[in-house]
Structures are given as C-alpha cells and as structure tokens.
Amino acid sequence: MAAESCCLKLIEKNKQSILARFTKIDKSIVKMIADIITISKDVQSGTPVFTGTRVPVKNLCDYLRGGDTIQEFLHDFPSVKKEQVGRLLELVENLITLTPYEEKAAA
C-alpha cells in the first residue's frame, strides 16, 4: 500500500507534465497511424490493414509470434513494403516509450 501511495503522489505532483506529454504524443501517434494503417469498412470489413494493401496488420503479429522473421512475412505478403513494417515497429516503440513521433525526411 505504501508503494501505491507513493506512486499516486508522484503522479499527482507531475500530473501537468504527464498530461502535456500524452497530448503531444497523442497528436503525433495519430498522424503516424494514419500514414501506416488503413481502417475502412470497404477493405477487409474494417480490419486494420497496411495502407495501400489488403494485408491485415495482425498477420505481422501472428508471423512474429509464431517465430517467423520480418523477411519471411515480407516474402509472403509482397504488397507490404519493408518501410511500412519498420514504421509500424517505430509506432509500437513510440507508444511503449512515450516518445513523440518525428516525421523522417525523405531520403
């Protein structure tokens, strides 16, 4: 109970800073998601797919969970580009680490 109380006090003390961070992250994450994932009732009945494809994002998760590599996934789903998978992994990293998305300049 003491640890819980300590955590609550820390959150309360830093609430404004935490909220400001989440607001910034939310806006950047929404932009990143829109660039990577399409959700439309007209494509796979609204299942999230990689933008420009009909490949559900869940397929990548299933492959990785099953021990397959990203290269194997890309071989089996050639309409998905390596950059899309990389950006999706970046999105997951940003969500987990609470890091805002920064758009990369085109190379």
XYZ file of all heavy atoms in Angstrom:
834
model
N 0.820 -1.199 0.000
C 0.000 0.000 0.000
C 0.863 1.263 0.000
O 0.494 2.236 -0.619
C -0.927 -0.050 1.221
C -2.103 0.856 1.096
S -3.178 0.307 -0.232
C -4.686 0.947 0.336
N 2.012 1.211 0.687
C 2.893 2.381 0.738
C 3.442 2.714 -0.646
O 3.530 3.872 -1.017
C 4.033 2.142 1.725
N 3.798 1.680 -1.405
C 4.320 1.913 -2.760
C 3.250 2.522 -3.650
O 3.522 3.431 -4.436
C 4.830 0.606 -3.350
N 2.019 2.028 -3.521
C 0.909 2.564 -4.310
C 0.680 4.028 -3.968
O 0.506 4.864 -4.851
C -0.358 1.748 -4.037
C -1.544 2.211 -4.848
C -2.780 1.376 -4.558
O -2.670 0.144 -4.488
O -3.842 1.990 -4.387
N 0.701 4.345 -2.698
C 0.513 5.717 -2.248
C 1.626 6.615 -2.778
O 1.386 7.728 -3.222
C 0.477 5.761 -0.722
O 0.380 7.091 -0.276
N 2.841 6.115 -2.751
C 3.986 6.872 -3.249
C 3.827 7.153 -4.744
O 4.070 8.265 -5.200
C 5.266 6.090 -2.983
S 6.749 6.931 -3.525
N 3.404 6.142 -5.510
C 3.200 6.314 -6.952
C 2.106 7.332 -7.234
O 2.245 8.170 -8.114
C 2.835 4.981 -7.592
S 4.234 3.854 -7.710
N 1.017 7.245 -6.491
C -0.083 8.191 -6.683
C 0.364 9.616 -6.387
O 0.003 10.547 -7.105
C -1.277 7.803 -5.816
C -2.002 6.522 -6.239
C -3.077 6.170 -5.215
C -2.593 6.658 -7.620
N 1.154 9.790 -5.333
C 1.670 11.123 -5.008
C 2.581 11.644 -6.116
O 2.520 12.809 -6.491
C 2.424 11.092 -3.677
C 1.521 10.980 -2.472
C 2.321 10.933 -1.191
C 1.394 10.715 0.000
N 2.138 10.573 1.253
N 3.415 10.771 -6.656
C 4.317 11.160 -7.729
C 3.532 11.568 -8.976
O 3.835 12.573 -9.615
C 5.262 9.995 -8.059
C 6.320 10.252 -9.106
C 7.266 11.359 -8.654
C 7.109 8.982 -9.394
N 2.506 10.802 -9.306
C 1.664 11.132 -10.465
C 0.957 12.463 -10.234
O 0.923 13.315 -11.119
C 0.653 9.999 -10.745
C 1.394 8.773 -11.287
C -0.424 10.451 -11.725
C 0.552 7.522 -11.369
N 0.388 12.637 -9.061
C -0.326 13.884 -8.755
C 0.617 15.081 -8.856
O 0.269 16.114 -9.418
C -0.949 13.805 -7.359
C -1.851 14.977 -7.029
C -3.047 15.107 -7.981
O -3.596 14.073 -8.421
O -3.416 16.250 -8.290
N 1.818 14.920 -8.322
C 2.804 16.000 -8.332
C 3.190 16.371 -9.764
O 3.429 17.537 -10.076
C 4.044 15.570 -7.547
C 5.134 16.601 -7.506
C 6.312 16.092 -6.694
C 7.447 17.095 -6.717
N 8.621 16.613 -6.017
N 3.251 15.384 -10.661
C 3.717 15.606 -12.034
C 2.601 15.532 -13.065
O 2.853 15.359 -14.248
C 4.801 14.575 -12.379
C 6.022 14.745 -11.524
O 6.652 15.787 -11.558
N 6.345 13.736 -10.736
N 1.356 15.664 -12.610
C 0.208 15.474 -13.491
C 0.246 16.370 -14.727
O 0.036 15.901 -15.840
C -1.101 15.698 -12.728
C -2.310 15.394 -13.582
C -3.655 15.351 -12.900
C -3.897 16.109 -11.690
N -5.278 16.047 -11.225
N 0.543 17.629 -14.574
C 0.545 18.545 -15.716
C 1.607 18.156 -16.737
O 1.359 18.163 -17.940
C 0.757 19.992 -15.250
C -0.411 20.569 -14.481
C -1.712 20.484 -15.270
O -1.766 20.748 -16.458
N -2.778 20.084 -14.594
N 2.772 17.785 -16.255
C 3.850 17.367 -17.146
C 3.465 16.087 -17.889
O 3.691 15.960 -19.096
C 5.124 17.133 -16.333
O 6.122 16.579 -17.151
N 2.879 15.152 -17.181
C 2.451 13.885 -17.783
C 1.370 14.140 -18.827
O 1.433 13.626 -19.944
C 1.957 12.904 -16.702
C 3.140 12.457 -15.828
C 1.260 11.700 -17.321
C 2.736 11.718 -14.569
N 0.385 14.962 -18.494
C -0.698 15.260 -19.437
C -0.166 15.964 -20.683
O -0.592 15.659 -21.796
C -1.777 16.111 -18.764
C -2.642 15.387 -17.724
C -3.575 16.368 -17.037
C -3.426 14.260 -18.367
N 0.749 16.888 -20.505
C 1.325 17.601 -21.649
C 2.054 16.627 -22.566
O 1.948 16.708 -23.789
C 2.279 18.689 -21.165
N 2.747 15.694 -21.971
C 3.473 14.696 -22.759
C 2.512 13.813 -23.546
O 2.721 13.536 -24.715
C 4.312 13.829 -21.818
C 5.732 13.754 -22.218
C 6.535 12.967 -21.247
N 7.381 12.099 -22.044
C 8.143 11.186 -21.553
N 8.163 10.971 -20.276
N 8.892 10.461 -22.337
N 1.448 13.349 -22.894
C 0.488 12.494 -23.574
C -0.220 13.243 -24.695
O -0.470 12.681 -25.753
C -0.548 11.923 -22.596
C -0.114 10.638 -21.968
C 0.228 10.582 -20.638
C -0.040 9.477 -22.714
C 0.633 9.393 -20.055
C 0.363 8.285 -22.156
C 0.707 8.244 -20.811
N -0.539 14.508 -24.503
C -1.205 15.288 -25.539
C -0.316 15.385 -26.768
O -0.759 15.173 -27.891
C -1.542 16.700 -25.015
O -2.407 16.566 -23.894
C -2.220 17.522 -26.079
N 0.947 15.678 -26.554
C 1.892 15.774 -27.666
C 2.027 14.414 -28.348
O 2.039 14.325 -29.568
C 3.253 16.248 -27.154
C 4.264 16.486 -28.237
C 5.542 17.058 -27.662
C 6.537 17.358 -28.764
N 7.792 17.858 -28.245
N 2.127 13.367 -27.578
C 2.275 12.024 -28.132
C 1.030 11.623 -28.898
O 1.108 11.092 -29.994
C 2.598 11.014 -27.023
C 4.003 11.286 -26.485
C 2.480 9.585 -27.525
C 4.314 10.590 -25.198
N -0.148 11.890 -28.338
C -1.388 11.504 -28.995
C -1.466 12.084 -30.400
O -1.802 11.387 -31.342
C -2.608 11.963 -28.189
C -2.837 11.125 -26.954
O -2.233 10.045 -26.849
O -3.629 11.547 -26.105
N -1.154 13.366 -30.558
C -1.231 14.006 -31.864
C -0.244 13.385 -32.842
O -0.572 13.132 -33.988
C -0.974 15.508 -31.738
C -2.088 16.245 -31.048
C -1.741 17.699 -30.852
C -2.836 18.408 -30.057
N -2.458 19.768 -29.722
N 0.971 13.123 -32.388
C 1.973 12.564 -33.279
C 1.665 11.116 -33.622
O 1.865 10.684 -34.751
C 3.373 12.686 -32.672
O 3.470 11.938 -31.477
N 1.148 10.363 -32.676
C 0.818 8.957 -32.919
C -0.344 8.841 -33.899
O -0.332 7.992 -34.796
C 0.501 8.228 -31.601
C 1.745 8.174 -30.706
C -0.050 6.843 -31.847
C 2.909 7.402 -31.253
N -1.343 9.693 -33.774
C -2.481 9.668 -34.691
C -1.994 9.894 -36.121
O -2.407 9.201 -37.045
C -3.546 10.707 -34.293
C -4.560 10.906 -35.393
C -4.226 10.279 -33.005
N -1.080 10.835 -36.317
C -0.522 11.111 -37.640
C 0.217 9.890 -38.165
O 0.053 9.481 -39.314
C 0.416 12.325 -37.546
C 1.320 12.533 -38.734
C 0.588 13.082 -39.923
C 1.592 13.487 -40.990
N 1.351 12.871 -42.259
N 1.026 9.288 -37.315
C 1.809 8.130 -37.734
C 0.902 6.951 -38.090
O 1.116 6.283 -39.098
C 2.791 7.735 -36.638
C 3.761 6.675 -37.052
S 4.959 6.391 -35.747
C 6.166 5.444 -36.636
N -0.106 6.706 -37.283
C -1.032 5.602 -37.549
C -1.709 5.804 -38.900
O -1.810 4.870 -39.694
C -2.075 5.470 -36.418
C -1.407 4.951 -35.153
C -3.210 4.539 -36.831
C -2.300 4.995 -33.926
N -2.153 7.008 -39.170
C -2.842 7.295 -40.428
C -1.940 7.055 -41.633
O -2.412 6.683 -42.706
C -3.355 8.728 -40.433
N -0.632 7.243 -41.463
C 0.320 7.023 -42.551
C 0.612 5.547 -42.787
O 1.037 5.165 -43.868
C 1.644 7.741 -42.266
C 1.525 9.250 -42.338
O 0.524 9.749 -42.891
O 2.445 9.929 -41.847
N 0.411 4.706 -41.785
C 0.804 3.299 -41.851
C -0.376 2.353 -42.015
O -0.299 1.372 -42.736
C 1.556 2.894 -40.571
C 2.772 3.775 -40.352
C 1.978 1.431 -40.618
C 3.380 3.598 -38.988
N -1.462 2.655 -41.325
C -2.589 1.726 -41.227
C -3.847 2.362 -41.796
O -4.124 3.534 -41.551
C -2.829 1.346 -39.748
C -1.591 0.653 -39.170
C -4.052 0.448 -39.606
C -1.640 0.498 -37.662
N -4.603 1.566 -42.540
C -5.896 1.998 -43.050
C -6.973 1.155 -42.389
O -6.835 -0.070 -42.295
C -5.981 1.813 -44.577
O -4.987 2.643 -45.187
C -7.353 2.185 -45.109
N -8.014 1.820 -41.928
C -9.175 1.129 -41.371
C -10.388 1.652 -42.121
O -10.748 2.816 -42.001
C -9.320 1.378 -39.854
C -8.070 0.908 -39.121
C -10.569 0.671 -39.326
C -8.045 1.269 -37.647
N -10.959 0.778 -42.942
C -12.099 1.155 -43.767
C -13.043 -0.031 -43.864
O -12.595 -1.158 -44.108
C -11.627 1.560 -45.168
O -12.732 1.672 -46.041
N -14.319 0.247 -43.720
C -15.292 -0.850 -43.822
C -15.268 -1.491 -45.209
O -15.691 -2.618 -45.385
C -16.688 -0.356 -43.469
C -17.233 0.673 -44.432
C -18.613 1.128 -44.061
C -19.064 2.164 -45.085
N -20.375 2.630 -44.880
N -14.716 -0.777 -46.195
C -14.646 -1.295 -47.564
C -13.432 -2.197 -47.809
O -13.317 -2.807 -48.864
C -14.608 -0.137 -48.563
C -15.874 0.708 -48.490
O -16.943 0.150 -48.181
O -15.780 1.927 -48.725
N -12.504 -2.235 -46.859
C -11.303 -3.064 -47.001
C -11.248 -4.038 -45.834
O -11.124 -3.620 -44.672
C -10.019 -2.197 -47.029
C -8.786 -3.071 -47.171
C -10.086 -1.162 -48.140
N -11.353 -5.305 -46.123
C -11.301 -6.367 -45.110
C -12.292 -6.113 -43.965
O -11.988 -6.356 -42.798
C -9.875 -6.534 -44.558
C -8.835 -6.936 -45.582
C -8.948 -8.403 -45.985
O -10.008 -9.000 -45.945
N -7.838 -8.966 -46.406
N -13.430 -5.574 -44.286
C -14.519 -5.328 -43.315
C -14.086 -4.494 -42.113
O -14.565 -4.682 -41.003
C -15.097 -6.661 -42.827
O -15.596 -7.411 -43.909
N -13.162 -3.566 -42.338
C -12.742 -2.668 -41.264
C -11.576 -3.159 -40.437
O -11.160 -2.499 -39.493
N -11.025 -4.308 -40.788
C -9.829 -4.801 -40.097
C -8.663 -3.873 -40.433
O -8.483 -3.516 -41.606
C -9.496 -6.239 -40.582
O -10.580 -7.095 -40.239
C -8.216 -6.760 -39.956
N -7.860 -3.465 -39.465
C -6.710 -2.608 -39.768
C -5.742 -3.316 -40.728
O -5.319 -4.450 -40.464
C -6.054 -2.381 -38.402
C -7.158 -2.626 -37.410
C -8.012 -3.692 -38.015
N -5.441 -2.653 -41.839
C -4.528 -3.205 -42.836
C -3.392 -2.219 -43.082
O -3.509 -1.030 -42.776
C -5.247 -3.504 -44.177
C -6.339 -4.546 -43.996
C -5.806 -2.242 -44.806
N -2.297 -2.732 -43.636
C -1.223 -1.836 -44.057
C -1.763 -0.968 -45.189
O -2.402 -1.469 -46.124
C -0.009 -2.633 -44.532
C 0.765 -3.275 -43.423
C 0.527 -4.588 -43.056
C 1.732 -2.552 -42.735
C 1.237 -5.183 -42.030
C 2.446 -3.135 -41.700
C 2.200 -4.459 -41.344
N -1.541 0.327 -45.112
C -2.032 1.269 -46.113
C -1.596 0.846 -47.511
O -0.451 0.465 -47.719
C -1.525 2.690 -45.795
O -2.051 3.078 -44.539
C -1.957 3.696 -46.839
N -2.568 0.882 -48.435
C -2.304 0.527 -49.822
C -2.333 -0.969 -50.096
O -2.002 -1.403 -51.194
N -2.706 -1.753 -49.080
C -2.771 -3.208 -49.241
C -4.089 -3.708 -48.664
O -4.873 -2.946 -48.119
C -1.625 -3.923 -48.494
O -1.915 -3.958 -47.085
C -0.289 -3.251 -48.729
N -4.278 -5.006 -48.760
C -5.399 -5.661 -48.091
C -4.865 -6.605 -47.003
O -5.551 -7.506 -46.549
C -6.242 -6.427 -49.111
C -6.888 -5.519 -50.151
C -7.753 -6.272 -51.137
N -8.848 -6.981 -50.503
C -10.004 -6.442 -50.099
N -10.204 -5.144 -50.254
N -10.939 -7.179 -49.549
N -3.613 -6.383 -46.591
C -2.947 -7.261 -45.624
C -3.195 -6.753 -44.209
O -2.749 -5.658 -43.853
C -1.426 -7.336 -45.902
C -0.744 -8.238 -44.881
C -1.168 -7.812 -47.326
N -3.901 -7.544 -43.392
C -4.140 -7.133 -42.013
C -2.840 -7.000 -41.218
O -1.931 -7.832 -41.355
C -5.000 -8.272 -41.445
C -5.651 -8.900 -42.633
C -4.605 -8.785 -43.729
N -2.762 -5.979 -40.401
C -1.606 -5.757 -39.538
C -1.426 -6.956 -38.600
O -0.299 -7.352 -38.291
C -1.774 -4.438 -38.744
C -0.680 -4.268 -37.714
C -1.806 -3.259 -39.703
N -2.519 -7.567 -38.212
C -2.461 -8.718 -37.310
C -1.644 -9.858 -37.914
O -1.010 -10.623 -37.180
C -3.871 -9.202 -36.968
C -3.882 -10.338 -35.955
C -5.293 -10.756 -35.606
C -5.364 -11.843 -34.563
N -4.420 -12.932 -34.684
N -1.610 -9.958 -39.235
C -0.805 -11.013 -39.864
C 0.665 -10.899 -39.471
O 1.323 -11.909 -39.226
C -0.936 -10.972 -41.382
C -2.277 -11.465 -41.871
O -3.211 -11.668 -41.088
N -2.403 -11.633 -43.176
N 1.179 -9.667 -39.413
C 2.567 -9.475 -38.999
C 2.752 -9.957 -37.562
O 3.718 -10.663 -37.260
C 2.984 -8.011 -39.128
C 4.380 -7.681 -38.595
C 5.460 -8.451 -39.358
C 4.623 -6.180 -38.650
N 1.829 -9.603 -36.707
C 1.916 -10.042 -35.304
C 1.891 -11.561 -35.211
O 2.669 -12.158 -34.452
C 0.772 -9.444 -34.488
S 0.777 -7.648 -34.439
N 1.022 -12.186 -35.990
C 0.928 -13.647 -35.989
C 2.232 -14.281 -36.456
O 2.694 -15.271 -35.881
C -0.228 -14.115 -36.867
C -1.593 -13.732 -36.309
O -1.691 -13.409 -35.107
O -2.571 -13.743 -37.096
N 2.830 -13.722 -37.501
C 4.100 -14.245 -38.000
C 5.184 -14.151 -36.931
O 5.897 -15.123 -36.664
C 4.543 -13.472 -39.246
C 4.147 -14.129 -40.542
C 2.813 -14.319 -40.870
C 5.107 -14.554 -41.455
C 2.438 -14.906 -42.062
C 4.745 -15.147 -42.662
C 3.402 -15.330 -42.956
O 3.047 -15.926 -44.133
N 5.322 -12.967 -36.341
C 6.383 -12.769 -35.351
C 6.154 -13.647 -34.121
O 7.098 -14.225 -33.586
C 6.477 -11.290 -34.969
C 6.888 -10.356 -36.107
C 6.861 -8.903 -35.643
C 8.249 -10.726 -36.681
N 4.907 -13.737 -33.689
C 4.566 -14.579 -32.540
C 4.893 -16.045 -32.835
O 5.293 -16.797 -31.956
C 3.097 -14.421 -32.181
C 2.710 -15.074 -30.872
C 1.249 -14.835 -30.500
N 0.957 -13.421 -30.296
C 0.183 -12.675 -31.101
N -0.413 -13.205 -32.150
N -0.027 -11.405 -30.858
N 4.722 -16.441 -34.086
C 4.988 -17.821 -34.491
C 6.457 -18.118 -34.749
O 6.800 -19.243 -35.116
N 7.316 -17.121 -34.598
C 8.750 -17.339 -34.769
C 9.277 -17.024 -36.154
O 10.461 -17.236 -36.441
N 8.421 -16.544 -37.035
C 8.868 -16.168 -38.382
C 9.572 -14.814 -38.331
O 9.386 -14.029 -37.402
C 7.671 -16.083 -39.338
C 7.024 -17.439 -39.573
O 7.746 -18.371 -39.944
O 5.801 -17.546 -39.370
N 10.361 -14.540 -39.359
C 11.074 -13.264 -39.426
C 10.266 -12.251 -40.237
O 9.329 -12.615 -40.959
C 12.440 -13.443 -40.113
O 12.224 -13.801 -41.483
C 13.289 -14.493 -39.410
N 10.685 -11.015 -40.134
C 10.063 -9.967 -40.937
C 10.297 -10.258 -42.415
O 9.393 -10.069 -43.230
C 10.608 -8.577 -40.542
C 10.115 -8.222 -39.131
C 10.195 -7.517 -41.551
C 10.730 -6.974 -38.545
N 11.472 -10.746 -42.759
C 11.764 -11.088 -44.162
C 10.795 -12.146 -44.675
O 10.326 -12.056 -45.814
C 13.211 -11.564 -44.320
C 14.229 -10.440 -44.279
C 13.949 -9.349 -45.294
O 13.546 -8.254 -44.934
N 14.153 -9.623 -46.556
N 10.487 -13.144 -43.862
C 9.528 -14.176 -44.268
C 8.142 -13.567 -44.486
O 7.456 -13.895 -45.456
C 9.478 -15.296 -43.229
C 10.750 -16.135 -43.205
C 10.841 -17.063 -42.012
O 10.560 -16.620 -40.879
O 11.197 -18.236 -42.229
N 7.753 -12.682 -43.586
C 6.468 -12.001 -43.726
C 6.429 -11.207 -45.032
O 5.472 -11.303 -45.800
C 6.221 -11.079 -42.523
C 5.018 -10.193 -42.675
C 3.747 -10.677 -42.435
C 5.159 -8.877 -43.077
C 2.632 -9.868 -42.593
C 4.047 -8.051 -43.236
C 2.778 -8.558 -42.991
N 7.472 -10.433 -45.290
C 7.521 -9.614 -46.497
C 7.530 -10.480 -47.758
O 6.925 -10.104 -48.772
C 8.749 -8.701 -46.468
C 8.721 -7.602 -45.401
C 10.084 -6.929 -45.305
C 7.616 -6.596 -45.672
N 8.165 -11.628 -47.694
C 8.178 -12.542 -48.840
C 6.768 -13.062 -49.122
O 6.344 -13.152 -50.268
C 9.128 -13.716 -48.571
C 9.150 -14.714 -49.685
N 8.337 -15.830 -49.693
C 9.873 -14.754 -50.831
C 8.554 -16.513 -50.795
N 9.493 -15.889 -51.507
N 6.044 -13.399 -48.054
C 4.696 -13.958 -48.209
C 3.646 -12.898 -48.530
O 2.577 -13.226 -49.064
C 4.295 -14.715 -46.945
C 5.089 -16.002 -46.765
O 5.794 -16.425 -47.713
O 5.019 -16.590 -45.667
N 3.935 -11.636 -48.206
C 2.998 -10.532 -48.467
C 3.745 -9.417 -49.202
O 4.060 -8.367 -48.618
C 2.387 -10.009 -47.161
C 1.577 -11.039 -46.429
C 2.131 -11.769 -45.394
C 0.254 -11.297 -46.785
C 1.388 -12.734 -44.724
C -0.491 -12.261 -46.121
C 0.080 -12.985 -45.089
N 4.036 -9.621 -50.484
C 4.861 -8.666 -51.221
C 4.248 -7.271 -51.397
O 4.961 -6.327 -51.722
C 5.073 -9.350 -52.583
C 3.988 -10.364 -52.693
C 3.636 -10.768 -51.292
N 2.950 -7.132 -51.152
C 2.350 -5.795 -51.269
C 2.710 -4.906 -50.078
O 2.590 -3.685 -50.146
C 0.830 -5.892 -51.408
O 0.255 -6.500 -50.266
N 3.180 -5.505 -48.993
C 3.633 -4.733 -47.824
C 5.104 -4.423 -48.027
O 5.907 -5.297 -48.350
C 3.431 -5.522 -46.507
C 3.948 -4.729 -45.319
C 1.966 -5.891 -46.319
N 5.452 -3.164 -47.844
C 6.835 -2.726 -48.023
C 7.591 -2.796 -46.694
O 7.017 -2.609 -45.627
C 6.883 -1.289 -48.555
C 6.093 -1.097 -49.849
C 6.692 -1.921 -50.964
C 5.892 -1.790 -52.236
N 5.528 -3.035 -52.834
N 8.884 -3.036 -46.802
C 9.734 -3.112 -45.601
C 9.622 -1.822 -44.785
O 9.602 -1.858 -43.552
C 11.185 -3.371 -46.020
C 12.124 -3.568 -44.858
C 13.520 -3.914 -45.339
C 14.442 -4.129 -44.148
N 15.801 -4.480 -44.605
N 9.540 -0.687 -45.464
C 9.414 0.601 -44.770
C 8.144 0.641 -43.912
O 8.148 1.197 -42.813
C 9.402 1.746 -45.777
C 9.202 3.105 -45.109
C 9.011 4.221 -46.118
O 7.893 4.333 -46.670
O 9.969 4.972 -46.333
N 7.047 0.066 -44.415
C 5.798 0.060 -43.651
C 5.959 -0.731 -42.353
O 5.487 -0.302 -41.305
C 4.664 -0.546 -44.484
C 4.203 0.340 -45.620
C 3.152 -0.343 -46.469
O 3.438 -1.350 -47.114
N 1.946 0.192 -46.454
N 6.621 -1.884 -42.440
C 6.841 -2.695 -41.243
C 7.733 -1.934 -40.266
O 7.467 -1.885 -39.063
C 7.444 -4.069 -41.599
C 7.840 -4.833 -40.344
C 6.457 -4.881 -42.428
N 8.773 -1.300 -40.781
C 9.668 -0.518 -39.933
C 8.947 0.618 -39.233
O 9.167 0.865 -38.035
N 8.084 1.280 -39.954
C 7.338 2.398 -39.361
C 6.332 1.900 -38.333
O 6.092 2.556 -37.320
C 6.663 3.223 -40.453
C 7.736 3.962 -41.286
C 7.167 4.802 -42.366
N 6.547 5.965 -41.754
C 5.564 6.655 -42.326
N 5.096 6.301 -43.491
N 5.055 7.696 -41.724
N 5.745 0.720 -38.571
C 4.831 0.143 -37.593
C 5.587 -0.201 -36.314
O 5.113 0.085 -35.211
C 4.140 -1.098 -38.156
C 3.183 -1.783 -37.184
C 1.978 -0.894 -36.893
C 2.731 -3.120 -37.733
N 6.770 -0.777 -36.446
C 7.576 -1.095 -35.265
C 7.984 0.181 -34.527
O 8.013 0.220 -33.297
C 8.795 -1.923 -35.663
C 8.479 -3.321 -36.200
C 9.744 -4.004 -36.687
C 7.748 -4.167 -35.178
N 8.263 1.229 -35.287
C 8.584 2.529 -34.678
C 7.377 3.054 -33.897
O 7.515 3.582 -32.796
C 8.996 3.523 -35.756
C 9.391 4.881 -35.222
C 9.741 5.856 -36.331
O 9.842 5.476 -37.504
O 9.898 7.045 -36.002
N 6.197 2.879 -34.460
C 4.968 3.293 -33.785
C 4.821 2.566 -32.457
O 4.556 3.185 -31.425
C 3.757 3.011 -34.668
C 2.381 3.101 -34.020
C 2.076 4.525 -33.600
C 1.315 2.578 -34.955
N 5.019 1.262 -32.475
C 4.910 0.473 -31.245
C 5.941 0.945 -30.227
O 5.628 1.131 -29.048
C 5.068 -1.037 -31.547
C 5.164 -1.839 -30.270
C 3.912 -1.523 -32.406
N 7.160 1.190 -30.683
C 8.209 1.682 -29.791
C 7.799 3.022 -29.179
O 7.949 3.249 -27.976
C 9.524 1.839 -30.542
C 10.637 2.412 -29.685
C 11.909 2.699 -30.476
O 11.897 2.599 -31.714
O 12.907 3.027 -29.833
N 7.279 3.921 -30.006
C 6.861 5.237 -29.515
C 5.751 5.118 -28.473
O 5.742 5.851 -27.492
C 6.405 6.123 -30.666
C 7.537 6.550 -31.559
O 8.702 6.353 -31.249
N 7.210 7.099 -32.696
N 4.814 4.208 -28.713
C 3.726 4.017 -27.749
C 4.246 3.490 -26.420
O 3.823 3.929 -25.358
C 2.674 3.067 -28.312
C 1.790 3.633 -29.410
C 0.972 2.518 -30.055
C 0.866 4.704 -28.853
N 5.177 2.557 -26.486
C 5.695 1.938 -25.269
C 6.592 2.890 -24.496
O 6.545 2.949 -23.273
C 6.439 0.631 -25.614
C 5.437 -0.412 -26.095
C 7.220 0.103 -24.418
C 6.049 -1.637 -26.689
N 7.406 3.660 -25.196
C 8.366 4.539 -24.524
C 7.853 5.957 -24.331
O 8.571 6.802 -23.802
C 9.691 4.599 -25.315
O 9.443 5.168 -26.610
C 10.322 3.226 -25.439
N 6.618 6.216 -24.772
C 6.019 7.549 -24.671
C 6.859 8.601 -25.381
O 7.017 9.721 -24.914
C 5.801 7.946 -23.206
C 4.934 7.012 -22.378
C 4.841 7.510 -20.950
C 3.550 6.876 -22.976
N 7.392 8.236 -26.532
C 8.221 9.130 -27.325
C 7.406 9.670 -28.489
O 6.824 8.889 -29.231
C 9.443 8.365 -27.880
O 10.133 7.769 -26.792
C 10.372 9.290 -28.647
N 7.375 10.986 -28.675
C 6.616 11.538 -29.804
C 7.194 11.094 -31.140
O 8.404 10.913 -31.287
C 6.772 13.048 -29.638
C 7.201 13.262 -28.244
C 7.948 12.019 -27.834
N 6.325 10.926 -32.110
C 6.727 10.564 -33.469
C 7.316 11.777 -34.137
O 6.758 12.857 -34.100
C 5.487 10.077 -34.238
C 5.667 9.981 -35.723
C 6.544 9.063 -36.271
C 4.933 10.789 -36.568
C 6.694 8.969 -37.642
C 5.083 10.696 -37.943
C 5.969 9.785 -38.465
O 6.108 9.687 -39.826
N 8.468 11.603 -34.756
C 9.070 12.677 -35.533
C 9.168 12.196 -36.960
O 9.802 11.182 -37.243
C 10.452 13.010 -34.987
C 10.393 13.616 -33.590
C 11.768 13.963 -33.047
O 12.725 14.037 -33.843
O 11.871 14.140 -31.845
N 8.509 12.921 -37.854
C 8.482 12.528 -39.251
C 9.887 12.586 -39.831
O 10.605 13.557 -39.658
C 7.550 13.449 -40.037
C 7.122 12.849 -41.331
C 5.812 13.421 -41.812
O 5.175 14.182 -41.087
O 5.459 13.090 -42.942
N 10.265 11.529 -40.508
C 11.590 11.443 -41.107
C 11.578 12.140 -42.455
O 10.625 12.039 -43.209
C 11.986 9.977 -41.311
C 11.912 9.127 -40.062
C 13.052 9.414 -39.136
C 13.114 8.437 -37.989
N 12.531 8.833 -36.769
N 12.649 12.845 -42.745
C 12.780 13.497 -44.047
C 12.988 12.420 -45.105
O 13.645 11.413 -44.846
C 13.977 14.471 -44.029
N 12.435 12.632 -46.269
C 12.589 11.658 -47.354
C 14.054 11.592 -47.759
O 14.725 12.599 -47.908
C 11.725 12.061 -48.545
N 14.541 10.361 -47.897
C 15.964 10.172 -48.240
C 16.178 10.227 -49.729
O 15.356 9.965 -50.521
C 16.461 8.854 -47.680
